[in-house]
């Protein structure tokens, strides 16, 4: 197998950590958004995560300097990996139900496979295409069983929700081709901080301020989102895509909604029955198959 197509053990561990971090945010975010506005919540958490990583880098003597000529690449990465992914998906939800939104959002591996072939030379093998099909069928089974309601009124939502995974996939592929020559902590500090800033500004401009009534539980969820999904999980994600093929990385990303549904079953009054179990097994089978090339 060509080196670009190999999957390292370290990469798999980092991807599992990423999926757990991002997936854990689903049930918490559902409860949090009952108390605060979505763009403000994501924007504040992301900017705080970026500042936290910057302070950590300063405390440990890690350079935050952006190398000469790398600013355009850094800004593009921040927009694709953070601003577009979180912002477009959030607005897309205003036109769509959660089930169809999740299915469209997690088409990331499809777009990644399309971009990775011409950009990275990652020609998808038959085994990896089968793995992609298995994993996506798990996501469709998981959310499709909740009922879909298609219609022309939802076209703006579908446009935004399709653009979100497409741009995130493009950011993943470009990030693997043009690795930022910066320490991992500095990469997260800049990308997450800069990428979340437009969301925060838009939220402050157009959303109602509700933080003054936020409960203790809500503050816990805000801290969790800041530290884990928008902090540590982005760190493991950026490190993972350096070590594994881009297509495999995004197939493994499909574990995140499975973690979220499992968490919702534990902490929210949501079911985890036969359909959820089969969906999880299909997704796991796809990830394992993809890891074999």
């Amino acid at each position: 197998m060509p080196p670009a197509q190999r999957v390292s053990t370290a990469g798999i561990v980092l991807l599992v950590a990423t999926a757990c971090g991002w997936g854990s945010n689903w049930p918490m975010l559902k409860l949090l958004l009952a108390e605060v506005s979505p763009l403000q919540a994501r924007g504040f958490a992301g900017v705080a995560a970026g500042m936290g990583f910057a302070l950590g880098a300063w405390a440990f003597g890690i350079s935050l300097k952006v190398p000469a000529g790398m600013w355009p690449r850094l800004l593009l990465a921040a927009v694709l990996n953070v601003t577009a992914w979180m912002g477009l998906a959030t607005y897309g939800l205003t036109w769509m139900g959660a089930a169809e939104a999740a299915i469209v959002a997690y088409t990331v591996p499809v777009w990644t496979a399309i971009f990775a072939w011409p950009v990275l030379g990652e020609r998808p093998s038959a085994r990896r295409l089968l793995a992609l099909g298995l994993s996506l069928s798990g996501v469709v089974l998981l959310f499709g069983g909740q009922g879909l309601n298609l219609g022309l009124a939802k076209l703006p939502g579908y446009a935004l929700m399709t653009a979100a995974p497409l741009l995130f996939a493009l950011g993943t592929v470009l990030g693997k081709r043009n690795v930022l020559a910066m320490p991992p902590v500095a990469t997260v500090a800049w990308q997450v901080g800069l990428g979340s800033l437009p969301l925060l500004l838009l939220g402050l401009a157009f959303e109602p301020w509700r933080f003054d009534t936020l409960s203790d539980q809500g503050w816990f969820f805000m801290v969790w989102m800041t530290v884990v999904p928008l902090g540590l999980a982005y760190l493991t994600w950026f490190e993972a895509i350096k070590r594994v093929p881009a297509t495999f990385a995004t197939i493994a990303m499909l574990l995140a909604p499975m973690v979220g549904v499992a968490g919702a079953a534990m902490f929210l009054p949501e079911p985890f029955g036969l359909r959820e179990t089969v969906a999880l097994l299909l997704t796991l089978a796809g990830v394992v198959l993809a890891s074999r090339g």
Side-chain angles (χ1 to χ4, degrees):
M1 187 183 300
Q5 293 282 73
R6 294 173 185 163
V7 177
S8 71
T9 302
I12 293 175
V13 172
L14 289 167
L15 286 172
V16 170
T18 302
C20 290
W22 284 346
S24 70
N25 199 45
W26 277 49
M28 296 187 185
L29 187 60
K30 182 173 182 177
L31 293 172
L32 178 62
L33 292 183
E35 299 188 49
V36 295
S37 302
L39 290 182
Q40 288 183 18
R42 288 185 176 274
F44 270 118
V47 170
M51 293 177 63
F53 271 88
L55 287 173
W58 174 78
F60 287 95
I62 299 173
S63 175
L64 289 168
K65 182 180 179 180
V66 179
M70 199 166 290
W71 273 107
R73 191 187 306 175
L74 174 62
L75 292 172
L76 178 62
V79 169
L80 294 176
N81 292 324
V82 182
T83 310
W85 173 243
M86 294 197 298
L88 294 177
T90 298
Y91 273 113
L93 274 171
T94 63
W95 277 279
M96 303 172 65
E100 58 256 58
I103 292 173
V104 177
Y106 281 95
T107 56
V108 171
V110 177
W111 299 112
T112 303
I114 292 172
F115 291 136
W117 191 346
V119 176
L120 301 174
E122 292 184 10
R123 183 173 182 174
S125 64
R127 179 179 292 177
R128 198 155 280 166
L129 288 174
L130 176 59
L132 176 59
L134 282 172
S135 297
L136 286 175
S137 66
V139 174
V140 172
L141 176 63
L142 180 67
F143 295 102
Q146 300 175 19
L148 301 179
N149 181 19
L150 309 180
L152 292 177
K154 294 185 177 182
L155 282 180
Y158 279 105
L160 292 171
M161 196 62 70
T162 300
L166 187 154
L167 293 175
F168 185 85
L170 180 61
T172 299
V173 171
L174 293 179
K176 187 169 179 62
R177 187 186 69 175
N178 302 314
V179 178
L180 294 170
M182 299 168 62
V185 172
T187 299
V188 175
W190 282 113
Q191 282 203 51
V192 175
L194 289 174
S196 299
L197 184 58
L199 303 180
L200 175 58
L201 296 177
L202 286 171
L204 292 174
F206 299 106
E207 292 179 340
W209 178 264
R210 299 162 64 191
F211 277 95
D212 51 352
T213 59
L214 192 60
S215 66
D216 291 341
Q217 174 182 268
W219 281 114
F220 173 80
F221 293 158
M222 278 293 297
V223 172
W224 179 271
M225 181 165 62
T226 300
V227 175
V228 180
L230 296 181
L232 297 176
Y234 262 105
L235 178 64
T236 54
W237 171 252
F238 290 145
E239 286 301 291
I241 60 176
K242 296 177 184 178
R243 295 170 169 82
V244 300
T247 304
F248 171 71
T250 49
I251 291 175
M253 179 184 170
L254 296 179
L255 290 172
M258 304 299 163
V259 173
V261 170
M266 289 187 290
F267 301 108
L268 300 174
E270 297 186 8
F272 193 93
L274 179 60
R275 177 165 58 86
E276 289 78 14
T277 301
V278 173
L280 175 59
L281 292 176
L282 283 171
T283 304
L284 285 173
V287 173
V288 172
L289 186 62
S291 70
R292 298 174 65 86

